[in-house]
């Protein structure tokens, strides 16, 4: 029997009762179709999500327009809704969280990428990943019962005494508020900063470090002045990723932020974040305008995380591509 | 040695130790959390905690049996919804796709991963609860299932791509057509990694509270079937922790320990044992 | 194939769970006020013990939530301490009936370092505190009503509700009646634009915040303060007497309204006449649709209402809620017939 060297035709199997499916010659097409439908379902869900958010927020969008974003009042009785306190609260708590988490995470990443032995590095990263897996409500639990009293009795008064001249640290210290929420968020997002930064640092080619050391730099100088700048873009990516995560955190923040829609300069003040107001008021918004305003807030949150995540992925992609030589540095 | 050199050397030691401190702080956070929960929650774990229904408000006693079962049911639904779609979608991306559709799907999956869970809850409310006029386990399961899809999809694709070409070509050489090759050769080869992704995704949604607030709602009793509201561990922890009753607080700690324990054990087992020998990629 | 086996197992699990307890029990879902949650949860528990095939699942999400979920028809009935206003009633596809169940009181609970006993609050002090004009515990409006009590100069941490609340409705209704500035600036409602303060979710959340925050003052339903051993104050009523909320004073507040209660049972009894009356008391209502499509559910609801208005009332006082006046009960029993 002569067979051509390159073409292989599928031979037909004798059918056994179990293999009804095998007899279908169009099986490949069906499989292609089924898997395509599955993948398309995801696209459909995403489109549906955006559509729902858009349609259900229509009433508020048409009524308030752009002024929604700069109005401070949130008055369900008068039907006057403004997003500013929530956007402010979300941004402030996230900023505090980043200020704490980024140095901590990048510092730890430097240690793990440059100094630790590979074994130590991967075990500590393992532990950090476990930290990322802790549910938000557990952080909330610890926040309410552990952190808040400590903040109220020790940390906030200490800050007031030393840095009280800044408007940031003035006002009565309740224990709950922007600062506490920011601290809880910081612990939650450190693992993200750590793991991504570590990866981008590891992706920087060895010769960069060795060149610096050959020129007489100390290990720290080589790291800080050569490696980190080379990985800078990816580290920014990790910051965006962590920020996107912080913006959407709901439970832990709701439990310690104070639930008061106010724009205040002091970090000790209670506030409100977009995710928290949704959690608290969504199931009770009486009246279509109220509900629609809440959903518009949800839409804002969605868009914010959408943009940030997109940017983050792009930055990380660029850095790892550079590091592995795909893109020129 | 010049002053400058001494300065540089001491700065070197100082900064490097600082980074070590950062790593230590980060890592010790986990041990602290775990330790505190064990200490505070462990003493209230009892048989009645696992088998009794909640007591009326203000009365001491009662347990979380319905919350535990509710969470399990929700996870089962989330798996049923999310895993097949994610799995098949991943197969599509790795085996069948062209250029544009896979790019779109990948991008969408990454973005959906980043959507805050509260927005998912609102979506599930609009999609399931409002038309049905009913809070239900189904709605909660759908909300969680949607959250599972992107992770499973990307993970499946990643592990399928890792399967060496030689296995596929060997299968073709033996006369299999494409779907048979995927189903009987490639998928089993990647199964360990895929399972990793599925379990990790489920462990993540097991702890989600926000999407359940307006979908599964809550229930003081057992929730039969799938169409009734159901209690769940994370929601009960939230409710009890923000309440004033001492007894509620104790139960919240115990429940927190149970939830954290389950999530961590799953993560540890999966990451430590299942990924031995496979390349694990974080999304 | 393995996949087929796995799927079959899952399908079987699904089927078992679906049909596990499908027939027989009557399951009702209700949601609403946190104000009466302690007694409702006791009542539904007792009712379930007596009728084991009936489960009434009540979720305390606040009166605002109860009204909204009722209008959205995601629950079978609701509960609220702020009666539905005409606009909300218009939104209902089926007319909603209000059924008062018990009488309760919103009391000012506080956590002042060094103060264990009862403080007296005047309407001016209370409205000033919540408006943010009275900021310290040793403010003259408070000290003048409490001679002999050493009040510290600490800041007052106001605690209010972050969710839509009937208790808020009762409190703001009272403040609107006693202070025109409050009426024009804030008004009354289940959710208002609070000038100052921290927000807690539910009576539970406010109680927790007051307990945990030194210097805090918040309004909660009486039983929450009692169950959690929190000090609470007396309020000056319209006759000038400082009254503490208890069964007698709350019943006195309802006494005048009881004889003239309107047919739809929506009435406010804050700041009433009467020397012994507590000024911030209220009925709390179950919001029942007048038409049920499911006859089993309808029968359970009617039977439960009858039970709650008769035997159920005996449990009210144990949880510091006052029983309904006899006239109101009689009128309600007749109104139950309206549920179809």
């Amino acid at each position: 029997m002569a067979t051509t060297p390159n073409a292989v035709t599928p031979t037909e199997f004798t059918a056994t009762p179990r293999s009804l499916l095998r007899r279908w010659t169009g099986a490949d097409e069906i499989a292609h179709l089924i898997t395509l439908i599955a993948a398309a379902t995801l696209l459909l869900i995403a489109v549906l999500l955006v559509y729902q958010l858009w349609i259900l927020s229509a009433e508020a969008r048409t009524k308030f327009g752009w002024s929604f974003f700069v109005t401070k009042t949130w008055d369900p009785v008068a039907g006057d809704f403004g997003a500013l306190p929530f956007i402010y609260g979300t941004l402030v708590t996230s900023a505090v969280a980043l200020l704490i988490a980024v140095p901590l995470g990048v510092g730890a990443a430097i240690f793990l990428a440059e100094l630790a032995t590979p074994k130590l590095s991967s075990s500590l990263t393992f532990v950090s990943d476990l930290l990322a897996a802790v549910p938000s409500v557990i952080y909330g639990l610890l926040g309410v019962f552990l952190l808040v009293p400590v903040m109220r009795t020790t940390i906030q008064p200490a800050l007031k005494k030393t840095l009280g001249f800044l408007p940031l640290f003035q006002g009565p210290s309740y224990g709950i508020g922007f600062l506490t929420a920011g601290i809880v968020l910081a612990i939650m997002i450190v693992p993200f900063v750590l793991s991504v930064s570590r990866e981008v640092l590891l992706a920087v080619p060895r010769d960069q470090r060795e060149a610096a050391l050959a020129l007489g730099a100390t290990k720290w100088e080589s790291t800080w002045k050569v490696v980190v700048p080379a990985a800078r873009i990816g580290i920014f990516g990790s910051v965006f990723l962590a920020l996107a995560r912080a913006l959407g955190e709901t439970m832990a923040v709701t439990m310690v932020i104070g639930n008061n829609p106010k724009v205040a300069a002091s970090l000790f003040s209670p506030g409100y974040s977009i995710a928290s107001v949704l959690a608290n008021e969504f199931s009770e918004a009486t009246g279509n305008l109220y509900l629609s305003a809440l959903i518009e807030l949800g839409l804002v949150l969605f868009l914010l995380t959408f943009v940030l995540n997109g940017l983050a992925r792009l930055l990380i992609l660029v850095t790892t591509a550079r590091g592995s030589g795909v893109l020129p540095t | 040695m010049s002053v400058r050199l001494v300065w540089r050397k001491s700065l070197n030691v100082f900064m490097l130790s600082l980074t070590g401190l950062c790593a230590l702080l980060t890592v010790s956070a986990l041990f602290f959390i775990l330790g505190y929960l064990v200490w505070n929650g462990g003493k209230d774990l009892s048989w009645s905690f696992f088998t009794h229904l909640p007591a009326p408000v203000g009365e001491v006693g009662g347990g979380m049996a319905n919350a535990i079962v509710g969470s399990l049911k929700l996870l089962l639904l989330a798996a049923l919804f999310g895993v097949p779609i994610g799995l098949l979608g991943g197969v599509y991306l790795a085996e069948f796709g062209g250029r544009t559709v896979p790019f779109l799907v990948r991008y969408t999956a990454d973005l959906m991963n980043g959507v805050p869970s509260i927005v998912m809850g609102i979506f599930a409310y609009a999609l399931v609860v409002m038309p049905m006029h009913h809070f239900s386990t189904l709605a909660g399961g759908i909300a969680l299932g949607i959250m599972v899809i992107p992770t499973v999809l990307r993970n499946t694709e990643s592990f399928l791509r890792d399967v060496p070409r030689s296995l596929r070509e060997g299968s073709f050489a033996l006369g299999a057509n494409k779907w048979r090759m995927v189903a009987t050769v490639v998928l089993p080869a990647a199964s360990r990694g895929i399972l990793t992704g599925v379990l990790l995704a489920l462990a993540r949604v097991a702890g989600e509270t926000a999407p359940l607030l307006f979908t599964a709602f809550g229930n003081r009793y057992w929730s039969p079937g799938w169409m009734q509201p159901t209690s769940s561990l994370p929601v009960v922890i939230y409710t009890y922790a923000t309440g004033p009753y001492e007894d509620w607080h104790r139960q919240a700690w115990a429940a927190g320990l149970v939830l954290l324990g389950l999530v961590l054990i799953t993560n540890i087992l999966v990451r430590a044992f299942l990924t031995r020998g496979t390349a694990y990629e974080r999304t | 194939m393995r996949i087929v086996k796995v799927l079959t197992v899952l399908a079987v699990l699904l089927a078992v769970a679906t049909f596990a307890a499908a027939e027989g029990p009557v399951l009702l879902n209700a949601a609403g006020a946190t104000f009466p949650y302690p007694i409702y949860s006791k009542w539904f528990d007792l009712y379930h013990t007596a009728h084991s095939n009936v489960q009434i699942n009540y979720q305390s999400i606040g009166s605002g939530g109860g009204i909204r979920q009722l209008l959205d028809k995601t629950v079978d009935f609701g509960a609220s301490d702020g009666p539905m206003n005409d606009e909300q009633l218009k939104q209902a596809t089926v007319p909603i009936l209000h059924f008062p169940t018990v009488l309760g009181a919103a009391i000012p609970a506080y956590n002042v370092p060094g103060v264990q006993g009862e403080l007296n609050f005047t309407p001016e002090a209370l409205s000033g505190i919540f408006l943010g004009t009275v900021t310290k515990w040793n403010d003259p409006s408070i000290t003048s009503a409490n001679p002999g009590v050493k009040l510290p100069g600490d800041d007052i941490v106001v605690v209010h509700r972050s969710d839509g609340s009937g208790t808020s409705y009762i409190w703001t209704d009272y403040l609107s009646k006693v202070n025109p500035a409050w009426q024009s600036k804030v008004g009354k409602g289940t959710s208002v634009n609070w000038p100052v303060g921290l927000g807690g979710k539910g009576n539970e959340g406010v109680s927790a915040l007051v307990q945990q925050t030194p210097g805090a003052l918040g309004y909660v339903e009486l039983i929450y303060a009692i169950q959690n051993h929190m000090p609470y104050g007396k309020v000056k009523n319209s006759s000038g007497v400082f009254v503490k909320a208890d069964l007698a004073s709350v019943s006195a507040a309802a006494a005048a309204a009881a004889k003239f209660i309107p047919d739809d049972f929506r009435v406010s009894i804050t700041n009433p006449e009467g020397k012994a009356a507590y000024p911030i008391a209220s009925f709390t209502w179950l919001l029942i649709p007048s038409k049920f499509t499911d006859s089993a559910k309808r029968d359970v609801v009617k039977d439960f209402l009858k039970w709650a208005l008769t035997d159920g009332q005996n449990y009210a006082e144990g949880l510091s809620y006052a029983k309904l006046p006899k006239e109101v009960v009689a009128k309600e029993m007749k109104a139950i017939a309206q549920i179809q």
Side-chain angles (χ1 to χ4, degrees):
Chain A
M1 206 169 23
T3 46
T4 50
N6 8 345
V8 178
T9 47
T11 55
E12 287 186 285
F13 291 87
T14 47
T16 57
R18 200 168 49 113
S19 62
L20 178 64
L21 290 170
R22 277 195 234 172
R23 281 198 245 138
W24 294 359
T25 49
D28 268 358
E29 280 75 8
I30 294 178
H32 190 138
L33 192 64
I34 293 177
T35 53
L36 176 60
I37 290 176
T41 309
L42 181 64
L43 289 175
L44 178 67
I45 291 175
V47 167
L48 208 59
L49 174 64
V50 179
Y51 175 73
Q52 287 277 16
L53 286 177
W54 188 255
I55 291 290
L56 291 172
S57 63
E59 198 175 329
R61 273 184 299 109
T62 46
K63 175 146 193 232
F64 300 117
W66 290 110
S67 70
F68 187 66
F69 294 99
V70 291
T71 313
K72 261 207 258 186
T73 36
W74 184 260
D75 192 345
V77 171
D80 191 16
F81 299 103
L84 191 61
F86 310 103
I87 298 180
Y88 178 77
T90 307
L91 289 177
V92 166
T93 49
S94 304
V96 171
L98 282 180
L99 276 170
I100 300 175
V102 171
L104 204 61
V106 172
I110 291 176
F111 178 77
L112 292 181
E114 304 293 315
L115 289 174
T117 61
K119 214 162 163 230
L120 185 67
S121 181
S122 51
S123 6
L124 291 188
T125 314
F126 180 75
V127 175
S128 165
D129 288 340
L130 288 182
L131 201 60
V134 174
S136 179
V137 73
I138 306 271
Y139 280 110
L141 194 59
L142 288 161
V144 168
F145 292 118
L146 266 186
L147 187 61
V148 167
V150 167
M151 292 295 287
R152 184 180 57 235
T153 51
T154 318
I155 300 189
Q156 281 181 350
L159 281 171
K160 232 201 295 199
K161 253 203 292 194
T162 51
L163 297 168
F165 55 89
L166 291 169
L168 281 178
F169 297 112
Q170 286 170 358
S173 87
Y174 304 112
I176 56 183
F178 291 123
L179 187 60
T180 314
I183 293 178
V184 175
L185 270 182
I187 308 176
M188 295 174 80
I189 64 176
V190 160
F192 294 94
V193 177
L194 191 151
S195 87
V196 175
S197 297
R198 175 177 164 271
E199 277 178 25
V200 298
L201 283 172
L202 285 174
V204 173
R206 282 195 69 177
D207 40 356
Q208 299 274 355
R209 296 179 182 77
E210 291 178 352
L213 291 173
L215 288 170
T218 60
K219 181 100 177 140
W220 169 252
E221 284 164 352
S222 145
T223 307
W224 188 245
K225 298 198 175 156
V226 176
V227 180
V228 170
R232 187 180 49 211
I233 296 185
I235 296 180
F236 280 142
S238 82
V239 172
F240 282 156
L241 206 65
L243 178 60
R245 180 69 205 249
L247 291 179
E249 256 319 316
T250 317
M251 303 320 293
V253 173
T254 311
M255 289 159 93
V256 298
I257 197 171
N259 302 334
N260 189 340
K262 288 279 176 290
V263 176
S266 166
L267 288 180
F268 294 164
S269 157
Y272 229 152
S273 75
I274 299 180
S276 302
V277 71
L278 288 174
N280 275 328
E281 300 191 7
F282 185 77
S283 55
E284 327 159 329
T286 38
N288 291 328
L289 184 62
Y290 193 176
L291 189 64
S292 168
L294 283 171
I295 295 189
E296 190 177 347
L297 279 176
L299 185 63
V300 169
L301 187 63
F302 175 77
L303 289 172
L304 271 174
T305 49
F306 183 94
V307 166
L308 277 171
N309 266 308
L311 277 174
R313 302 271 162 198
L314 196 66
L315 290 177
I316 296 173
L317 197 69
V318 165
T319 314
T320 42
R322 270 193 193 174
S324 58
V326 173
L327 277 182
T329 43
Chain B
M1 271 205 286
S2 68
V3 172
R4 181 162 165 73
L5 190 58
V6 169
W7 165 251
R8 284 170 58 210
K9 281 197 172 169
S10 19
L11 185 67
N12 184 46
V13 171
F14 179 70
M15 291 311 274
L16 293 178
S17 335
L18 208 61
T19 60
L21 187 67
C22 290
L24 188 68
L25 276 175
T26 310
V27 163
S28 55
L30 179 73
F31 292 112
F32 176 75
I33 293 175
L34 193 56
Y36 195 82
L37 272 174
V38 168
W39 175 67
N40 222 353
K43 50 193 165 149
D44 291 296
L45 282 181
S46 61
W47 185 243
S48 68
F49 176 83
F50 287 104
T51 52
H52 282 139
L53 291 175
V57 174
E59 292 180 22
V60 176
M64 299 230 185
N66 57 345
I68 296 175
V69 170
S71 272
L72 288 172
K73 282 168 72 173
L74 285 165
L75 272 182
L76 182 64
L77 268 185
L80 276 171
F81 271 118
V83 174
I85 297 181
L87 197 70
L88 291 173
V91 168
Y92 174 79
L93 286 184
E95 306 294 328
F96 291 105
R99 301 217 73 158
T100 41
V101 175
F103 173 73
L104 271 177
V105 174
R106 250 178 240 126
Y107 192 68
T108 311
D110 284 342
L111 293 172
M112 290 287 276
N113 238 344
V115 171
S117 57
I118 187 118
V119 176
M120 288 301 190
I122 295 179
F123 178 52
Y125 180 82
L127 201 64
V128 186
V129 177
M130 266 170 46
M132 268 178 58
H133 290 300
H134 226 112
F135 292 107
S136 59
T137 315
L138 182 69
I142 290 180
L144 294 181
I146 296 178
M147 293 176 68
V148 163
I149 296 176
T151 320
V152 172
L153 190 144
R154 293 290 267 132
N155 195 65
T156 306
E157 184 204 353
S158 159
F159 278 100
L160 284 177
R161 280 189 191 282
D162 278 348
V163 173
R165 286 191 69 179
S166 49
L167 276 176
R168 296 168 209 268
E169 292 180 350
S171 174
F172 277 141
L174 288 171
N177 49 16
K178 189 152 193 191
W179 78 269
R180 236 178 100 71
M181 177 262 298
V182 171
T184 57
V185 175
V186 180
L187 270 177
S191 61
R192 234 175 175 203
I194 296 177
L195 188 62
T196 308
V198 168
L199 287 176
L200 287 178
L202 288 177
R204 182 184 137 208
V205 296
E208 289 287 345
T209 322
L212 298 177
L213 291 174
F214 351 107
T215 48
F217 207 37
N219 201 327
R220 295 230 327 126
Y221 304 101
W222 296 108
S223 167
W226 306 97
M227 296 313 203
Q228 291 293 323
T230 181
S231 186
S232 56
L233 263 184
V235 172
V236 168
I237 295 175
Y238 172 63
T239 313
Y240 281 14
T242 49
Y245 303 100
E246 261 307 307
D247 189 55
W248 276 12
H249 293 171
R250 281 199 297 269
Q251 291 197 21
W253 284 112
L257 177 61
V258 170
L259 182 63
L260 185 64
L262 284 173
V263 168
L264 282 185
I265 289 175
T266 310
N267 269 279
I268 293 174
L269 284 176
V270 165
R271 286 175 202 259
F273 295 112
L274 270 185
T275 54
R276 285 235 180 103
T278 60
Y280 172 67
E281 184 186 301
R282 264 182 302 281
T283 42
Chain C
M1 282 194 279
R2 237 188 325 154
I3 303 172
V4 176
K5 275 194 220 154
V6 171
L7 282 175
T8 328
V9 169
L10 282 175
V12 169
L13 266 176
L14 203 60
V16 166
T18 314
F19 295 114
E23 306 318 319
V26 183
L27 307 162
L28 285 128
N29 291 306
T34 60
F35 185 90
Y37 185 36
I39 186 151
Y40 284 178
S41 90
K42 184 115 188 110
W43 275 354
F44 295 134
D45 225 56
L46 288 168
Y47 196 79
H48 173 65
T49 318
H51 306 82
S52 59
N53 66 327
V54 174
Q55 274 183 16
I56 306 179
N57 171 31
Y58 180 82
Q59 292 297 312
S60 90
I61 59 175
S63 305
I67 295 175
R68 161 65 193 293
Q69 299 307 327
L70 180 67
L71 290 175
D72 277 351
K73 299 219 257 264
T74 50
V75 291
D76 298 305
F77 62 91
S80 169
D81 350 289
M84 290 172 73
N85 57 28
D86 295 326
E87 215 186 290
Q88 290 163 339
L89 284 173
K90 267 198 279 226
Q91 287 180 24
T93 53
V94 167
I96 307 285
L97 303 167
H98 288 72
F99 282 92
T101 48
V102 286
L103 282 159
I107 49 95
Y110 47 84
N111 176 354
V112 187
V115 176
Q116 287 306 322
E118 286 165 7
L119 289 177
N120 294 330
F121 292 99
T122 58
E124 296 77 34
L126 280 179
S127 46
I129 292 172
F130 278 86
L131 273 172
T133 52
V134 173
T135 53
K136 297 220 184 275
W137 280 104
N138 57 3
D139 187 281
S141 60
I142 309 178
T143 51
S144 56
N146 293 287
V149 178
K150 182 117 177 42
L151 284 161
D154 296 8
D155 293 316
I156 304 180
V157 181
V158 175
V159 183
H160 55 73
R161 292 285 289 271
S162 62
D163 52 330
S165 155
T167 321
S168 291
Y169 181 85
I170 300 168
W171 195 257
T172 51
D173 179 45
Y174 169 75
L175 289 179
S176 300
K177 282 187 187 168
V178 300
N179 190 325
W182 179 274
Q183 165 84 307
S184 57
K185 190 162 181 230
V186 185
K188 69 174 191 232
T190 53
S191 266
V192 299
N193 193 8
W194 297 95
V196 288
L198 306 174
K201 191 160 164 58
N203 267 294
E204 303 92 331
V206 173
S207 313
L209 274 176
V210 172
Q211 270 181 330
Q212 294 160 7
T213 315
L217 174 82
Y219 57 90
V220 293
E221 210 286 321
L222 180 58
I223 187 62
Y224 286 90
I226 295 179
Q227 281 181 337
N228 295 293
H229 312 293
M230 295 159 62
Y232 57 99
K234 297 186 185 174
V235 183
K236 194 176 187 185
N237 66 12
S238 58
S239 308
V241 183
F242 284 102
V243 183
K244 190 153 187 185
D246 56 30
L247 299 171
S249 58
V250 171
S251 303
K259 298 192 189 29
F260 304 107
I261 196 161
D263 287 342
D264 66 355
F265 298 107
R266 296 188 294 157
V267 68
S268 154
I269 56 172
T270 51
N271 210 29
E273 304 272 314
K275 281 219 283 272
Y278 181 72
I280 324 181
S282 176
F283 285 104
T284 182
W285 294 266
L286 280 177
L287 306 170
I288 317 271
S290 51
K291 279 202 206 31
F292 277 87
T293 47
D294 183 332
S295 59
K297 287 189 182 178
R298 177 201 59 214
D299 294 335
V300 165
V301 168
K302 287 171 92 151
D303 187 62
F304 174 77
L305 276 175
K306 291 198 192 110
W307 180 86
L309 292 170
T310 50
D311 288 335
Q313 294 290 305
N314 296 329
Y315 294 92
E317 298 190 340
L319 288 167
S320 302
Y321 295 94
K323 287 198 209 186
L324 293 171
K326 284 200 276 294
E327 303 91 343
V328 176
V329 173
K331 215 168 172 181
E332 285 188 65
M333 292 296 245
K334 280 198 240 147
I336 294 181
Q338 289 174 31
I339 306 174
Q340 277 142 19

